[in-house]
Amino acid sequence: MASAPLGPSSAPRRVSTALPAAWWALRAGSGVLYAVADQMFKRAEEPEAWRNSLAVGILADALMAASAVLAILFVRKLTAMQHARTSSGPSTTA
């Protein structure tokens, strides 16, 4: 809330948590898929099983890349909120 711009009554306005929630969900999902791919690879004995484990690993990489994009968007949004907060002048609430 410290970075949230002030609303009309000088109270911080409510900010959506969807972006950081999606960021962390993708990050956690990629971590789970990495673990699954690792176990699949360790147990693989046939080329088809190796390909399947690599496909899961590639999916984990894609989720991690999407997570990185959301992290960048989150930082940009947070920076914009901080700039808006500092531009609005000092807070009158204690």
Side-chain angles (χ1 to χ4, degrees):
M1 290 299 246
S3 295
L6 298 177
S9 64
S10 294
R13 69 176 171 88
R14 188 112 172 111
V15 178
S16 173
T17 59
L19 186 59
W23 168 30
W24 282 108
L26 286 176
R27 174 63 183 96
S30 70
V32 169
L33 284 178
Y34 279 130
V36 168
D38 183 54
Q39 289 303 311
M40 288 173 67
F41 188 80
K42 288 178 182 176
R43 293 186 177 134
E45 295 182 8
E46 300 294 323
E48 183 67 26
W50 287 333
R51 280 191 292 273
N52 290 340
S53 70
L54 291 176
V56 173
I58 290 169
L59 179 59
D61 287 339
L63 287 181
M64 184 62 77
S67 169
V69 169
L70 290 182
I72 292 167
L73 293 175
F74 172 70
V75 169
R76 291 175 57 110
K77 182 178 179 180
L78 181 62
T79 302
M81 288 187 333
Q82 289 171 334
H83 179 68
R85 179 74 182 251
T86 58
S87 296
S88 67
S91 174
T92 58
T93 60

